[in-house]
Each structure stands twice: as C-alpha cells, then as structure tokens.
C-alpha cells in the first residue's frame, strides 16, 4: 500500500442524496481497499430544502468537511461565491497537505473550484483527474443573453487552464467528449467517457415489488430536483389541459421552485396534481407507484449530459416521456433503449397528446418498454460497470 494518500475533492457528499455525492462515496470505498484515501467536501446543502440526517462516517477513509460558503438556491452570485469559497478551501488544504497526496480526483464545482484545485495540483506537481458533469461557462452564459457574452470572455481562460493542466478529463457522455475536444482543443486520448451510475442492486431488490396498485389512478411522475431548468411548469400546464379524470400528476422531490409550482398547480383544481417529499432511501419505493416517469427540460438545457434521474427511471422499469432537444444524449438513450417517447422541449400540444395516448395504453405495452429500459440501463448506467472504469482512471493517473 502506498504511504501517500489519494485525495477526493467532492462538491457534494453523503448525506446529500444526489448522484455526484454517491459517485464520490462509492469511489472512496473502492479505492480504500488498496489505497489510503482522504475526502474533502463542503457542509451538506443539496438539494435546497432537504432535511439532512446523520453524517455518513466510514472507517475506511478520512473525510473532512471544509468551512466554506454554500448556496443551494439557484442564484448566480451566490453560486459564484460558493464555487470560489470551496475552491479556496480546497486549494489551502492541498497546499497544507501536499507532501502526503499522491494524486487527486476532483468532482467539484465549476469553474473557480476546479481552477483552484488544478492550480494547487500543478503547484506541487500532483496528477489530477477532473470529472466534468456539465460544460461551463456555456451552461451558465447561455442563460444570460447580454451579460453572458462578457461573462464568457471572463471565464473561458479559467476553463482552458483547467483542461490544459489536468492529467485526465472524465466526461459523462460521448457528446460531451466530442464537444470538449473540438471547443477546447483537447486531445481525444486525454478524455475518458464514464456515465454516471446508479446502484442497480437496490433497484433490482425493489423491482420484485414493482406492481402498481390497480386501485390507484394512472400516475405520471416526475422525481428529482425541482429547479428552474427542469421545465416542470410545462408538465403542470399540459396535464391541466388533458382533463384526464382517473389520472394524477405527481411531482416528487425538493428544490427552489417547489413553492411556486404548488401555487401554479392549485389553480387547476379540475385535475389531480400532487407534490410528494422523497425521504432518503425511498426513491425506488416511490417510483414503483408510478405508471410512467417524466423528464422535461427547458429548450437548450439538455445539452450533452444525462441527468441522473433517467437511469433511475430505467432501473425502476418505468417507461419515460422526455421533452428534450432532438440530438441530446437523453434523446439518444431513450430511443436506443426503446423505453419511451421523445418529444421536443416546451411543446405543450404534443405533450398533452402524448399524455392522453399513454394513459390509454394497456399494462403489457408499458411493461415491455419498462423492461427494455432496464436492460439498456444495466449495460450503460450500472455501478458494477462504471465504478470499475472510474477506479481504473484514478489508479492509472
């Protein structure tokens, strides 16, 4: 066993019930079998409004929660302050402990936290792998048509520095890899594609109980972060226009837009729209109560990544209605997996029609699509396959 330690810099970590937190935790456990591991993270804050339970403690690795500013709400300047604050705390930690660090895996906030982590690694000649979950600054500046251009000019040099001085870049989709290779002039052999995973064993255990109660109304369900990019206002408008009597729309989760959406739903008393909380560990159980899962996104937001909710939907053996950009990785996965319907984003009329049509399908057709999605997810989004790929990337640094 190496006397030095592998450092995991993670923007989220359990008890936060988000996928990146689970990825870092799974990696820390796997690495700790043969290596000494340290994890640094901020205090838990994601998702907004979530009540956190006991901090996850493992005797297999060390975990330090750094004192940095957090901003769970989707606020531009709050998020910029958050990424700089955790980046500075990570930089200071690396500088203080560089003699004992052999390599770094960074799954942290873009761009300041990534930049400061890579800067510290370069300063002490420590190899570092950056896990890219979304493409910045574009994901930010595309939402700001006027100020965005200035911000893009300001932030792009940081992005180029990060990719130039990183030993290995890990992306979560092939589209993201190709985009970064062209736009950042990064050699393809420097970029690895490893899809974010879900623990398939947990879903398989619950799938044995995957029998929707026939006494319950036909249930369309969205589960995940209730934020501004999700496009959930479209779901409420569309479902209200269906006038479906023996159906319900369930929006399960927490996030900054929840209260506003509840007010919007209350204006449509002629249909059944429910908001559910999702206690930690209850994702599979709650998804089993759905007939069809929903994945809407704002136009241009589906980009080059696959949100963690899609593999979770597939592992639950539920067909999926997506409202996403045509060539996005989400659309490709649903089409290749033959597990649902792909609609253009923000098209109210098509979503209304699809909801009506799907509510009239028999259970055998829904089960067939659900099983196809599960098979696709096992091949592409399983922990068994993808954790090993990530482990190899870090070990080989």
């Amino acid at each position: 066993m190496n006397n030095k330690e592998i450092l995991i810099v993670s923007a989220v970590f359990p008890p936060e019930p988000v996928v990146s937190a689970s990825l870092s935790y799974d990696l820390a456990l796997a690495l700790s079998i043969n290596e000494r591991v340290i994890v640094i993270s901020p205090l838990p804050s994601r998702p907004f409004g979530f009540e956190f339970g006991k901090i996850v403690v493992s005797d297999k690795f060390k975990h330090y929660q750094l004192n940095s500013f957090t901003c769970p709400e989707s606020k531009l300047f709050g998020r910029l302050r958050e990424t700089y604050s955790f980046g500075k705390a990570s930089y200071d930690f690396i500088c203080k402990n560089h003699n004992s660090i052999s390599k770094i895996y960074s799954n942290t906030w873009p761009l300041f936290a990534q930049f400061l982590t890579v800067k510290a690694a370069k300063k002490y000649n420590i190899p570092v792998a950056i896990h890219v979950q979304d493409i910045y600054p574009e994901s930010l500046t595309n939402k700001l048509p006027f100020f965005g251009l200035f911000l893009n000019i300001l932030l792009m040099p940081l992005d180029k520095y990060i990719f130039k001085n990183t030993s290995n870049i890990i992306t979560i989709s092939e589209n993201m890899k190709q985009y970064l290779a062209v736009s950042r002039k990064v050699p393809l052999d420097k970029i690895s594609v490893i899809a974010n995973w879900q623990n398939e064993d947990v879903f398989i255990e619950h799938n044995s109980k995957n029998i929707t109660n026939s006494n319950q109304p036909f249930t369309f369900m969205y589960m995940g972060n209730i934020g501004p990019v999700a496009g959930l206002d479209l779901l409420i408008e569309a479902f209200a226009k269906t006038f479906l009597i023996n159906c319900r729309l369930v929006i399960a989760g927490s996030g900054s837009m929840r209260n506003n959406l509840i007010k919007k739903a209350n204006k449509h008393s002629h249909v059944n729209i429910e908001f559910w909380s999702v206690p930690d560990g209850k994702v599979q159980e709650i998804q089993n109560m759905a007939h069809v899962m929903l994945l809407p996104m704002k136009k241009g937001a589906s980009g080059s990544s696959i949100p963690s909710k899609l593999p979770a939907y597939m592992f639950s053996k539920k067909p999926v209605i997506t409202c996403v950009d045509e060539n996005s990785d989400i659309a490709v996965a649903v089409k290749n997996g033959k597990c649902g319907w792909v609609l253009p984003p923000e098209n109210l009329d098509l979503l209304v029609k699809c909801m009506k049509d799907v509510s009239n399908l028999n259970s055998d057709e829904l089960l067939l699509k659900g099983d196809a999605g599960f098979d696709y997810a096992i091949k592409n989004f399983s922990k068994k396959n993808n954790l090993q790929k990530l482990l190899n990337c870090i070990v080989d640094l």
Side-chain angles (χ1 to χ4, degrees):
M1 184 180 290
N2 197 320
N3 288 329
K4 289 195 172 186
E5 297 165 310
I6 296 176
L7 176 64
I8 294 176
V9 182
S10 192
V12 287
F13 204 71
E16 291 169 293
V18 293
V19 164
S20 278
S22 298
L23 300 186
S24 295
Y25 181 75
D26 290 343
L27 179 62
L29 282 180
L31 284 170
S32 66
I33 295 173
N34 295 310
E35 304 281 351
R36 297 171 64 192
V37 178
I38 300 176
V39 178
I40 56 175
S41 69
L43 292 170
S45 66
R46 298 299 196 278
F48 175 73
F50 188 83
E51 294 184 9
F52 298 101
K54 186 179 178 182
I55 302 296
V56 172
V57 178
S58 173
D59 59 0
K60 305 296 183 184
F61 56 84
K62 301 173 188 174
H63 176 212
Y64 299 102
Q65 290 183 325
L66 304 188
N67 185 22
S68 63
F69 176 79
T70 59
C71 182
E73 293 183 83
S74 184
K75 296 180 177 180
L76 173 60
F77 292 104
R79 290 287 175 86
L80 289 175
R81 181 184 171 190
E82 177 181 51
T83 179
Y84 177 79
S85 179
F86 183 57
K88 181 63 168 59
S90 301
Y91 179 90
D92 291 343
F93 185 93
I94 294 167
C95 290
K96 183 179 178 180
N97 299 280
H98 67 273
N99 285 327
S100 64
I101 298 172
S102 62
K103 58 189 75 172
I104 299 172
Y105 162 79
S106 177
N107 186 7
T108 193
W109 304 125
L111 285 164
F112 293 119
Q114 290 176 337
F115 168 74
L116 289 166
T117 299
V118 172
K119 185 178 180 182
K122 182 184 179 184
K123 182 177 181 179
Y124 297 106
N125 199 30
I126 304 171
V128 57
I130 289 285
H131 205 146
V132 181
Q133 298 287 341
D134 208 346
I135 295 174
Y136 277 79
E138 291 92 326
S139 291
L140 173 62
T141 56
N142 288 345
K143 303 171 191 173
L144 306 167
F146 301 109
F147 182 58
L149 180 60
F150 169 75
L151 202 59
N152 198 60
I153 294 171
L154 185 68
L155 295 175
M156 191 58 80
L158 297 181
D159 194 60
K160 290 181 178 178
Y161 178 94
I162 292 164
F163 291 122
K164 180 181 178 182
N165 295 286
T166 298
S167 307
N168 194 354
I169 300 161
I170 301 161
T171 66
I172 59 177
S173 73
E174 189 61 39
N175 276 352
M176 185 181 287
K177 174 179 178 175
Q178 297 300 326
Y179 181 84
L180 289 178
V182 173
S183 63
R184 273 54 169 188
K185 296 181 173 55
V186 179
L188 284 171
D189 60 4
K190 191 177 179 178
I191 308 174
S192 304
V193 178
I194 304 173
N196 287 347
W197 62 80
Q198 298 274 352
N199 185 350
E200 63 273 22
D201 292 338
V202 177
F203 288 91
I204 290 169
E205 178 186 342
H206 280 79
N207 285 345
S208 61
K209 312 165 191 174
N210 194 1
I211 303 172
T212 307
N213 192 333
S214 58
N215 295 323
Q216 296 291 335
F218 189 96
T219 301
F220 296 97
M221 181 182 291
Y222 168 89
M223 180 180 286
N225 180 49
I226 305 176
V229 178
L232 299 180
D233 49 345
L234 178 77
L235 291 187
I236 292 173
E237 281 188 58
F239 189 68
K241 284 182 174 290
T242 65
F243 287 90
L244 292 169
I245 304 300
N246 296 317
C247 296
R248 66 180 171 183
L249 169 64
V250 172
I251 297 177
S254 57
S256 59
M257 297 294 292
R258 192 174 194 269
N259 290 336
N260 289 338
L261 290 171
I262 290 174
K263 291 176 184 176
K264 186 180 183 72
N266 288 339
K267 297 177 182 178
H268 303 293
S269 56
H270 63 285
V271 288
N272 185 4
I273 303 175
E274 302 175 14
F275 288 79
W276 295 0
S277 297
V278 184
D280 192 22
K282 296 293 184 180
V283 169
Q284 302 83 9
E285 181 179 329
I286 292 174
Q287 285 185 176
N288 276 351
M289 301 175 72
H291 293 81
V292 176
M293 303 302 296
L294 303 168
L295 205 170
M297 296 189 80
K298 296 285 188 184
K299 193 175 295 183
S302 48
S304 54
S305 62
I306 295 178
S308 56
K309 61 179 71 65
L310 179 60
Y313 291 174
M314 290 178 166
F315 278 126
S316 288
K317 294 191 173 183
K318 299 297 179 181
V320 188
I321 298 175
T322 62
C323 305
V324 294
D325 298 315
E326 182 180 5
N327 295 319
S328 65
D329 287 293
I330 300 170
V332 170
V334 173
K335 289 174 184 176
N336 289 347
K338 300 178 181 178
C339 60
W341 302 264
V342 178
L343 309 179
E346 301 182 54
N347 191 314
L348 186 64
D349 292 338
L350 283 179
L351 180 55
V352 171
K353 182 180 185 303
C354 186
M355 282 181 158
K356 287 180 177 179
D357 292 343
V358 171
S359 68
N360 289 319
L361 293 177
N362 63 53
S363 59
D364 288 342
E365 291 178 83
L366 296 176
L367 288 171
L368 192 64
K369 286 187 178 295
D371 287 342
F374 177 83
D375 292 340
Y376 183 87
I378 286 291
K379 293 175 183 175
N380 295 278
F381 306 128
S382 69
K383 175 181 174 181
K384 179 181 178 181
N385 291 333
N386 292 308
L387 174 57
Q388 187 59 52
K389 292 178 185 177
L390 183 58
L391 189 65
N392 292 342
C393 278
I394 308 308
V395 170
D396 292 343
L397 270 179

